[in-house]
Amino acid sequence: EPEVTQTPSHQVTQMGQEVILRCVPISNHLYFYWYRQILGQKVEFLVSFYNNEISEKSEIFDDQFSVERPDGSNFTLKIRSTKLEDSAMYFCASDQIGGNEQFFGPGTRLTVL
Amino acid sequence: AQSVTQPDIHITVSEGASLELRCNYSYGATPYLFWYVQSPGQGLQLLLKYFSGDTLVQGIKGFEAEFKRSQSSFNLRKPSVHWSDAAEYFCAVVPTGSGGGADGLTFGKGTHLIIQP
């Protein structure tokens, strides 16, 4: 069964450093998403991406965040200058157009020291 | 703005007993409704979804959910829980007619299910 994959599973970084989280969505899906879950809290929507551009973003997705689909398979989330409060689990999801069913990856746990 | 409320932070159920997890939503129109499960250290797995039609929907792992428009609720049920059902359960909504589109899911805060032997 096709699945969304994410790398790395755990990323540790120093405050102020840039990180790139990687996702490989399901191959025939066209909509891509990033969510985050701070420890013990609910899952929060960050951004959606379609046709090589951002479709929607939440207020969390400020200028320090960016997304990119650098090739036909990867979908990345970049955090330019990490802060302590960026420590969270980051989930990638993808959706087939018209499907209304987002498939989630296993997540990347980001720890900012 | 839409919101999802899961009033129970923790629920403890004996193995073999029935389960009901509550979810209420606040939205201008009936959204699409979902239940996801998250096992420790794992990602989110879709249990079931409601778009329209029959208000009782069946999902994976023996779960079902009932949509009640009058109560703006979408409660998850299982007639007999197993120890492997211990996990975090999230209710989520997305605006109607997204068409697989760009809207992000709005999640509730989750209910942590504990199974007693």
Side-chain angles (χ1 to χ4, degrees):
Chain A
E1 186 176 329
E3 58 183 18
V4 178
T5 59
Q6 291 185 242
T7 54
S9 57
H10 192 189
Q11 174 92 45
V12 181
T13 189
Q14 295 290 326
M15 191 169 55
Q17 295 296 303
E18 174 183 287
V19 294
I20 297 175
L21 310 182
R22 290 182 167 78
C23 168
V24 178
I26 294 173
S27 63
N28 64 342
H29 286 189
L30 299 177
Y31 286 87
F32 314 113
Y33 311 80
W34 283 102
Y35 293 81
R36 80 171 184 191
Q37 184 183 29
I38 296 171
L39 187 64
Q41 298 187 25
K42 67 177 179 179
V43 179
E44 300 172 290
F45 168 71
L46 292 177
V47 66
S48 60
F49 191 86
Y50 170 71
N51 199 26
N52 281 319
E53 61 183 24
I54 289 174
S55 295
E56 277 203 22
K57 58 183 181 179
S58 70
E59 61 272 15
I60 303 169
F61 193 87
D62 60 24
D63 291 344
Q64 70 159 343
F65 291 95
S66 62
V67 289
E68 192 179 31
R69 187 150 163 85
D71 53 45
S73 60
N74 289 283
F75 179 52
T76 62
L77 174 69
K78 182 193 291 185
I79 309 175
R80 225 175 310 278
S81 176
T82 51
K83 303 191 277 279
L84 295 176
E85 54 265 36
D86 293 327
S87 293
M89 183 75 91
Y90 288 81
F91 292 105
C92 173
S94 69
D95 189 358
Q96 188 178 36
I97 187 167
N100 274 310
E101 179 174 341
Q102 295 181 27
F103 289 82
F104 283 78
T108 292
R109 179 167 299 284
L110 176 65
T111 302
V112 182
L113 302 176
Chain B
Q2 65 265 36
S3 66
V4 179
T5 302
Q6 294 181 248
D8 304 305
I9 298 173
H10 298 277
I11 281 190
T12 301
V13 178
S14 298
E15 191 169 14
S18 64
L19 169 72
E20 182 169 31
L21 303 183
R22 295 182 290 166
C23 173
N24 293 93
Y25 64 89
S26 174
Y27 200 76
T30 301
Y32 293 156
L33 299 152
F34 305 83
W35 275 98
Y36 283 86
V37 61
Q38 183 182 32
S39 298
Q42 303 294 311
L44 295 156
Q45 183 182 24
L46 180 69
L47 286 175
L48 45 76
K49 59 188 177 184
Y50 174 78
F51 292 167
S52 64
D54 193 346
T55 56
L56 185 64
V57 292
Q58 302 297 318
I60 62 171
K61 305 186 179 187
F63 285 93
E64 65 179 27
E66 185 172 13
F67 167 63
K68 291 186 178 179
R69 186 188 306 275
S70 61
Q71 298 177 19
S72 297
S73 70
F74 188 55
N75 294 347
L76 182 72
R77 301 196 294 245
K78 186 169 184 177
S80 176
V81 298
H82 186 262
W83 64 267
S84 60
D85 294 324
E88 192 84 15
Y89 290 80
F90 292 95
C91 182
V93 305
V94 74
T96 304
S98 309
D103 297 289
L105 292 163
T106 299
F107 284 86
K109 291 187 176 180
T111 297
H112 184 61
L113 177 62
I114 300 164
I115 306 296
Q116 277 182 338

